[in-house]
Amino acid sequence: WAGAKRKQAVHSTKAGRANPTVTMESPLKLAIVVKVMGRTGSRGQVTQVRVKFLDDQNRLIMRNVKGPVREGDILTLLESEREARRLR
């Protein structure tokens, strides 16, 4: 019975997924889009961009962005350590 109760609690969240929350351990990072590198994904639904962090101007990384994006846009990154693989 305890297993059924646990299952019910998991499915009570939106669309069956855990609700992602931002804590003090993972602060938001702001980054500006420097260059749009190209489209990727099986249907081209993801845009690969090079971003520069607003708090550390020397740091540039590649990220994948879903949705419309252009140079000069500011992205709010929940996670800033992960870098996207290069386009093939």
Side-chain angles (χ1 to χ4, degrees), residues 25-44:
E25 293 133 12
S26 62
L28 296 175
K29 290 279 193 171
L30 297 178
I32 189 164
V33 177
V34 176
K35 185 176 181 185
V36 176
M37 304 304 286
R39 306 285 279 186
T40 187
S42 61
R43 295 179 202 89

Side-chain angles (χ1 to χ4, degrees), residues 29-35 37 48-53 56-65 75 77 79-86:
K29 290 279 193 171
L30 297 178
I32 189 164
V33 177
V34 176
K35 185 176 181 185
M37 304 304 286
Q48 198 164 62
V49 297
R50 183 177 300 277
V51 297
K52 177 172 58 173
F53 289 98
D56 184 7
Q57 294 287 320
N58 297 328
R59 190 164 167 222
L60 291 168
I61 65 168
M62 298 279 287
R63 289 300 293 244
N64 292 330
V65 180
L75 303 179
L77 303 177
E79 197 277 322
S80 61
E81 297 298 320
R82 191 172 9 170
E83 186 164 358
R85 288 189 231 136
R86 303 269 184 232

